[in-house]
Amino acid sequence: PGGRPSKRKRSDFGERVVALRQRAGLSQTQVAEKLGVSQQAYAGWERSTGALRPEDLAKLAAVFGVPIDELLGTRPLVKRGTG
């Protein structure tokens, strides 16, 4: 992890997104490129859900290969093995 640490605690949504990104082995920049947004915009999504539109949620879920309800926390994160 690099960059400047946030002064605020991440939202529950942000914690889930960070966990999914790390599980996928991607950097914020790589995810942002896949979504067609700036790294700064994506970093904001990891901190807060305020700026997300429904189509952004769908794209984010597709990048991580999870259903939207997993992003939203209505379904627990699935632990996946390394095999």
Side-chain angles (χ1 to χ4, degrees):
R4 180 180 58 214
S6 177
K7 294 177 183 168
R8 296 187 304 202
K9 183 182 178 311
R10 280 189 188 104
S11 66
D12 290 342
F13 175 82
E15 291 291 342
R16 284 189 296 278
V17 172
V18 170
L20 288 166
R21 177 176 58 79
Q22 290 174 342
R23 184 171 78 188
L26 298 170
S27 68
Q28 286 185 345
T29 301
Q30 291 169 316
V31 174
E33 287 173 359
K34 291 177 180 288
L35 296 170
V37 300
S38 70
Q39 181 274 330
Q40 292 84 358
Y42 174 75
W45 295 355
E46 287 192 358
R47 287 189 302 273
S48 169
T49 58
L52 274 114
R53 299 178 306 224
E55 57 268 23
D56 294 329
L57 277 173
K59 288 179 189 177
L60 197 55
V63 165
F64 295 133
V66 298
I68 291 173
D69 59 349
E70 193 167 321
L71 284 176
L72 297 176
T74 56
R75 171 195 257 187
L77 285 176
V78 177
K79 299 283 185 192
R80 296 193 180 152
T82 58

